[in-house]
C-alpha cells in the first residue's frame, strides 16, 4: 500500500525525475539546493493539490517551462491506481486512472499524505487558517460527508458575501442563512468530534516528546452562547457595514495549549516544531486506526533544529507509525530511522541510485 512510483517533470529544479518508492522507508539525500524538498513538494502536490511552500502553484513550474507534471502510482486495497497533476499558469488538471478527476479533493481522497518539514513550527506560531487546514485535512479523511458540507457552505458563504458587497437588502442577504446554518452545523459537529479524538491521541505523544500536558480546544467561529443562526442575525448590521460575513465555521480556531498556556506564547521554536510534529503524527495515527490504507509521511530534513535527544524522541514516534516514510537528509549516512528500503541521492535536480 502507499505510493509505489513517482515521476516529476519540470517542477522547480527537477527536469525529469523518476523514483520507485519503498513501501516502508525511502531516504533521499543531497546537498543544499539539490532539489530534496522539491521532490517532497511534488509528492505532496499529488495528495493535496497544493504545495506546502506557496499558495501559487505556478511558482513551481521550472523556469522557462510551460507546465509541471507529477505522475504517481498508488498501491491501494483496490489495486494499482494512477494519479496525475498537470499545472500551467492558467489551470490545474487532476487525473485519476486515466480520466479527468471531478476535483482535486477526489484525488486527495485516494492519497493521504502528511509532511513534517523545518517550517512546521508555523502551525503553532501563525494565525488560525493554517490550523483550520490541518484539522480539515484530518476531518476530510475520517468523515467523508464533511467535504460535501464544506463545499455547500463555501458556496452559500460566497453568495452571502456577494449580496453583502452589493448592499442588497437584509432579506436577500438572510436568504442564504438557512443553507449556511445547516452546512455550518455539520462542519462544526464533524470538527468537534475530530478534535476530541485527535487530542486523545496527541496528548501522550506530546507528553513523551515535551513532557507537558496538551489541550486542544475547538472554537466554533461564533459566540459559544449563541446558535449559528442567532449569531448570523446578530451580526447582520455589522456584516452589511463591512461587506463580509464575520461569523461561522470559516472563522473557527483550533487552540493549542500546553502546560495551561497558549502554546504560541509559551514554548521555544524547537518545541513548537516538536509540538506541531506531534499533531501531524497524531493525525496519521488516528487515520491508521480508522482506515486499512497506508498513509504517507514526508519528513523533510528531520534533524534540522532538534537536539539529539529530541530528534531520537521524534524518530521513535515516527517509527511507531504504519505510514510509508519518505525522508530527506543532508547526510547520506543518516541512520536514525534504520536501514532504508530504498536509498538515493540528488545532485542538481538529478537522482542517483
Ligand atoms: N521555479 C523554479 N525553477 C527552477 N528552479 C527553481 C524554481 N524554484 C526553485 N528553484 C531552485 O530549486 C533548487 C532546489 O530547491 P530545494 O528547496 O528543493 O532544495 P533542497 O535540496 O531541499 O535544499 P535545502 O537542503 O537547502 O533545503 C533551488 O536551488 C532553487 O533555486
Ligand atoms: Mg530543503
Amino acid at each position: 500500500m502507499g505510493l509505489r512510483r513517482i515521476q516529476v517533470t519540470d517542477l522547480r529544479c527537477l527536469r525529469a525525475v523518476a523514483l520507485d518508492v519503498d513501501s516502508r522507508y525511502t531516504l533521499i539525500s543531497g546537498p543544499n539546493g539539490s532539489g530534496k524538498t522539491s521532490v517532497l513538494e511534488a509528492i505532496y502536490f499529488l495528495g493535496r493539490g497544493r504545495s506546502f511552500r506557496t499558495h501559487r502553484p505556478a511558482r513551481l513550474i521550472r523556469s522557462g517551462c510551460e507546465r509541471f507534471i507529477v505522475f504517481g502510482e498508488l498501491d491501494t486495497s483496490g489495486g494499482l491506481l494512477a494519479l496525475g497533476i498537470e499545472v500551467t499558469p492558467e489551470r490545474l488538471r487532476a487525473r485519476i486512472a486515466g480520466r479527468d478527476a471531478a476535483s482535486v479533493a477526489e484525488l486527495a481522497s485516494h492519497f493521504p499524505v502528511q509532511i513534517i518539514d523545518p517550517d512546521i513550527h508555523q502551525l503553532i506560531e501563525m494565525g488560525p487558517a493554517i490550523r483550520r487546514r490541518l484539522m480539515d485535512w484530518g476531518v476530510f479523511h475520517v468523515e467523508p460527508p464533511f467535504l460535501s458540507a464544506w463545499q455547500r457552505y463555501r458556496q452559500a458563504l460566497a453568495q452571502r458575501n456577494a449580496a453583502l458587497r452589493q448592499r442588497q437588502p437584509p432579506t436577500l442577504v438572510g436568504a442564504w442563512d438557512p443553507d449556511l446554518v445547516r452546512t455550518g452545523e455539520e462542519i462544526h459537529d464533524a470538527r468537534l468530534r475530530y478534535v476530541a479524538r485527535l487530542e486523545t491521541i496527541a496528548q501522550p505523544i506530546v507528553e513523551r516528546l515535551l513532557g507537558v500536558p496538551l489541550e486542544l480546544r475547538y472554537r466554533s467561529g461564533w459566540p459559544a452562547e449563541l446558535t449559528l443562526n442567532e449569531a448570523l442575525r446578530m451580526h447582520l448590521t455589522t456584516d452589511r457595514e463591512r461587506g463580509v460575513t464575520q461569523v461561522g465555521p470559516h472563522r473557527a480556531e483550533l487552540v493549542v495549549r500546553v502546560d495551561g498556556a497558549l502554546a504560541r506564547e509559551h514554548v521555544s521554536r524547537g518545541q513548537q516544531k516538536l509540538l506541531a510534529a506531534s499533531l501531524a503524527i497524531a493525525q496519521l495515527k488516528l487515520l491508521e486506526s480508522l482506515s486499512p490504507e497506508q498513509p504517507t509521511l514526508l519528513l523533510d530534513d528531520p534533524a534540522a533544529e532538534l537536539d539529539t535527544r529530541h530528534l531520537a524522541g521524534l524518530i521513535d514516534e515516527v517509527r511507531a507509525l504504519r505510514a510509508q516514510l519518505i525522508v530527506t537528509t543532508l547526510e547520506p549516512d543518516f541512520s536514525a530511522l534504520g536501514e532504508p528500503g530504498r536509498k538515493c541521492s540528488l545532485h542538481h535536480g538529478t537522482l542517483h541510485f
Side-chain angles (χ1 to χ4, degrees), residues 28-68:
I28 305 170
S29 63
N32 293 132
S34 56
K36 302 181 299 296
T37 304
S38 304
V39 172
L40 300 188
E41 213 175 4
I43 297 171
Y44 186 88
F45 215 106
L46 208 54
R48 299 285 189 116
R50 58 187 300 278
S51 163
F52 51 86
R53 289 205 277 193
T54 170
H55 297 300
R56 301 206 183 112
R59 290 259 169 93
L60 275 64
I61 301 172
R62 199 160 75 92
S63 308
C65 298
E66 288 173 359
R67 70 199 67 224
F68 77 77

Side-chain angles (χ1 to χ4, degrees), residues 28 53 138-139 179 198 222 290:
I28 305 170
R53 289 205 277 193
V139 188
D179 269 3
L198 186 66
W222 67 88
L290 298 170

Side-chain angles (χ1 to χ4, degrees), residues 5-18:
R5 184 176 166 74
I6 180 104
Q7 223 170 296
V8 188
T9 310
D10 294 333
L11 186 146
R12 294 204 191 269
C13 65
L14 311 173
R15 194 182 57 76
V17 161

Side-chain angles (χ1 to χ4, degrees), residues 21-37:
V21 185
D22 187 65
S23 61
R24 177 62 187 146
Y25 170 28
T26 302
L27 184 67
I28 305 170
S29 63
N32 293 132
S34 56
K36 302 181 299 296
T37 304

Side-chain angles (χ1 to χ4, degrees), residues 29-348:
S29 63
N32 293 132
S34 56
K36 302 181 299 296
T37 304
S38 304
V39 172
L40 300 188
E41 213 175 4
I43 297 171
Y44 186 88
F45 215 106
L46 208 54
R48 299 285 189 116
R50 58 187 300 278
S51 163
F52 51 86
R53 289 205 277 193
T54 170
H55 297 300
R56 301 206 183 112
R59 290 259 169 93
L60 275 64
I61 301 172
R62 199 160 75 92
S63 308
C65 298
E66 288 173 359
R67 70 199 67 224
F68 77 77
I69 297 171
V70 183
F71 170 81
E73 226 169 56
L74 211 63
D75 200 354
T76 71
S77 49
L80 276 185
L81 187 67
L83 303 182
I85 283 267
E86 182 190 62
V87 171
T88 67
E90 292 79 35
R91 65 189 287 247
L92 183 159
R93 190 168 161 220
R95 309 259 300 164
I96 300 178
R99 60 169 178 85
D100 280 331
S103 63
V104 166
E106 194 194 348
L107 199 76
S109 67
H110 292 287
F111 184 33
V113 60
Q114 182 59 283
I115 177 133
I116 296 176
D117 75 336
D119 287 333
I120 197 170
H121 62 91
Q122 290 180 351
L123 198 60
I124 306 299
E125 198 180 65
M126 305 245 298
I130 188 169
R131 285 181 295 282
R132 274 200 300 272
R133 221 168 25 237
L134 174 99
M135 172 170 67
D136 286 348
W137 174 78
V139 188
F140 166 73
H141 279 290
V142 169
E143 300 210 20
F146 174 78
L147 174 65
S148 143
W150 181 240
Q151 285 168 337
R152 284 178 291 137
Y153 180 83
R154 294 294 306 190
Q155 262 170 13
L157 183 66
Q159 300 279 10
R160 190 181 194 269
N161 283 340
L164 287 167
R165 277 196 308 277
Q166 292 158 11
R167 308 207 168 280
Q168 290 184 359
T171 45
L172 287 185
V173 173
W176 297 105
D177 291 4
D179 269 3
L180 272 182
V181 168
R182 198 174 333 109
T183 53
E185 283 174 352
E186 259 183 72
I187 293 168
H188 174 78
D189 292 344
R191 283 174 170 171
L192 261 185
R193 283 192 294 273
Y194 182 76
V195 171
R197 286 166 133 173
L198 186 66
E199 186 187 53
T200 307
I201 296 181
Q203 274 170 338
I205 301 176
V206 171
E207 189 68 56
R208 284 192 293 270
L209 282 181
L210 288 143
V212 289
L214 166 81
E215 260 178 277
L216 293 180
R217 285 195 198 151
Y218 178 66
R219 292 229 183 96
S220 63
W222 67 88
E225 66 281 10
L226 302 177
T227 64
L228 177 54
N229 197 30
E230 288 166 346
L232 284 166
R233 267 191 279 154
M234 186 173 272
H235 284 80
L236 184 57
T237 308
T238 49
D239 279 359
R240 293 187 75 223
E241 283 163 16
R242 295 182 194 179
V244 68
T245 305
Q246 300 166 92
V247 289
H250 62 291
R251 303 296 286 270
E253 165 70 298
L254 175 66
V255 182
V256 184
R257 295 174 66 84
V258 288
D259 222 1
L262 203 56
R264 183 168 10 130
E265 296 167 0
H266 191 65
V267 300
S268 75
R269 169 86 166 249
Q271 287 173 319
Q272 283 185 8
K273 177 173 174 169
L274 287 166
L275 190 53
S278 303
L279 295 181
I281 290 168
Q283 286 198 296
L284 291 171
K285 246 190 179 154
L286 179 54
L287 200 56
E288 288 176 358
S289 72
L290 298 170
S291 159
E293 303 291 343
Q294 183 191 24
T296 297
L297 173 60
L298 310 175
L299 268 178
D300 193 12
D301 197 3
E305 249 182 326
L306 295 181
D307 62 49
T308 319
R309 184 171 72 82
H310 286 107
L311 175 62
L314 178 65
I315 294 293
D316 282 347
E317 300 298 336
V318 166
R319 288 178 79 127
L321 292 170
R322 179 157 53 82
Q324 173 181 39
L325 306 176
I326 305 176
V327 183
T328 73
T329 157
L330 290 165
E331 308 304 331
D333 54 357
F334 178 81
S335 61
L337 270 161
E339 193 55 32
R342 188 157 188 89
K343 204 171 176 174
C344 57
S345 62
L346 258 173
H347 293 275
H348 302 299

